[in-house]
Amino acid sequence: MNNPYVPFKLPIINVTEETDIDYTFRFKSDINPQNGQFLEISIPGVGEAPISISDFGDGYLDMTIRRVGKLTDEVFELKEGDYLFARGPYGNGFNLEDYKGKDLVIVAGGTGLAPVKSIVNYFYEHIEELKSFKLIIGFKSPKDILFNEEIEKWKNKINVILTVDNGDENWKGNTGLITKYIPKINEEDYNQTEVIIVGPPIMMKFASLEFLNNNFPEEKIWVSFERKMSCGIGKCGHCKIDETYVCLEGPVFNYTKAKNLID
């Protein structure tokens, strides 16, 4: 019988510096996860943490990691040829079939872009599977923008709106909170539109309200919870909200469920 707590090695293929505190690590891997799932990554003697899978393909997977503490300090010292340990993938992800043939709107704030990056890349390569695709991305400042080169590439096929809360003297793009750019959807388009919102909790709250205030149906909104998921298999209870284990039923939830998940 396999022990679900025993991790496996993930060799590092390369490391991309996105910002001063956000690096994307590409690992050699045959894992075929669901979009939006996560891994528990670890370094023995240092610690373990849940990290979203930001992209994956034949023989590799990517994780975009922010330097925020003891474990990630050590992860940022790793380089090509090194490895870390991982368990998973875990959780309930996004089902791409829910969005095919629809008008898709993705609203992503800050590092919330990472969990949906694989969805964006999939539909970029299969744009004919959507009626339309609008991607609204917000960051605190220009220096916090992730995936700059890919964002520019996405603009070739996707309606991309990129905004920053606070620009600088060199910033020529949009400024203002991400909610400023959320579209008004006509009632006759409700049934053919799906919305994904991922980012900090306060951002997801007000972005969702922008759609709901336009009478957009709750069941057409999907969110992903960034929450401390320690074991990943519903045993430790760290991620539990009332009777819901986020690591098992989430991190992806329909808004009809998510609206009641309050700490």
Side-chain angles (χ1 to χ4, degrees):
M1 183 176 179
N2 293 329
N3 185 336
Y5 292 105
V6 175
F8 51 85
K9 287 184 179 180
L10 274 182
I12 297 172
I13 298 174
N14 60 55
V15 183
T16 302
E17 184 176 339
E18 307 286 355
T19 73
D20 290 344
I21 59 170
D22 300 285
Y23 288 8
T24 295
F25 292 80
R26 174 158 291 187
F27 300 94
K28 181 179 179 181
S29 172
D30 293 324
I31 294 174
N32 185 29
Q34 191 177 12
N35 300 274
Q37 286 189 305
F38 66 96
L39 293 175
E40 292 283 351
I41 67 165
S42 62
I43 296 177
V46 180
E48 185 178 57
I51 302 292
S52 296
I53 298 169
S54 54
D55 206 0
F56 57 91
D58 187 18
Y60 76 89
L61 67 80
D62 295 345
M63 286 186 284
T64 302
I65 302 174
R66 171 161 286 186
R67 190 170 194 161
V68 292
K70 182 180 178 182
L71 173 62
T72 51
D73 284 347
E74 293 294 325
V75 171
F76 269 48
E77 297 301 316
L78 301 177
K79 58 187 182 301
E80 179 182 344
D82 293 334
Y83 60 86
L84 49 69
F85 289 90
R87 297 187 289 113
Y90 296 126
N92 174 46
F94 296 96
N95 183 358
L96 297 187
E97 297 300 320
D98 290 332
Y99 314 116
K100 292 180 180 180
K102 305 284 187 67
D103 296 308
L104 177 61
V105 181
I106 294 182
V107 183
T111 56
L113 181 56
V116 296
K117 180 170 174 278
S118 62
I119 303 176
V120 178
N121 279 332
Y122 175 84
F123 284 119
Y124 177 85
E125 297 296 337
H126 304 85
I127 197 68
E128 73 282 355
E129 295 184 6
L130 295 175
K131 292 187 66 177
S132 70
F133 190 178
K134 178 170 285 186
L135 176 62
I136 308 169
I137 319 168
F139 295 94
K140 288 183 179 179
S141 70
K143 68 180 179 61
D144 296 307
I145 296 174
L146 302 175
F147 316 128
N148 273 286
E149 291 184 6
E150 285 178 285
I151 289 173
E152 290 304 310
K153 180 189 77 172
W154 294 337
K155 291 177 181 178
N156 294 325
K157 297 182 182 180
I158 301 168
N159 181 359
V160 177
I161 298 174
L162 172 64
T163 184
V164 297
D165 296 348
N166 300 290
D168 56 32
E169 64 276 9
N170 298 316
W171 178 250
K172 306 301 181 184
N174 298 311
T175 58
L177 297 178
I178 201 169
T179 49
K180 175 182 175 182
Y181 299 93
I182 289 176
K184 303 296 182 185
I185 300 173
N186 295 324
E187 185 174 353
E188 59 267 25
D189 296 324
Y190 286 171
N191 289 333
Q192 65 184 25
T193 305
E194 299 286 338
V195 172
I196 296 172
I197 303 173
V198 185
I202 193 70
M203 168 262 168
M204 290 197 294
K205 174 183 177 180
F206 284 101
S208 297
L209 286 174
E210 282 293 317
F211 287 99
L212 297 174
N213 289 339
N214 191 32
N215 295 317
F216 189 75
E218 293 181 347
E219 65 271 16
K220 310 290 283 184
I221 300 174
W222 307 83
V223 299
S224 180
F225 276 38
E226 297 282 336
R227 189 174 173 84
K228 183 61 176 175
M229 296 172 281
S230 294
C231 71
I233 57 175
K235 300 300 182 183
C236 72
H238 282 82
C239 70
K240 190 178 181 185
I241 304 176
D242 295 327
E243 299 305 313
T244 299
Y245 289 88
V246 175
C247 68
L248 296 179
E249 296 186 46
V252 176
F253 292 97
N254 187 265
Y255 187 82
T256 57
K257 171 79 172 182
K259 67 179 181 179
N260 296 315
L261 299 178
I262 302 172
D263 286 319

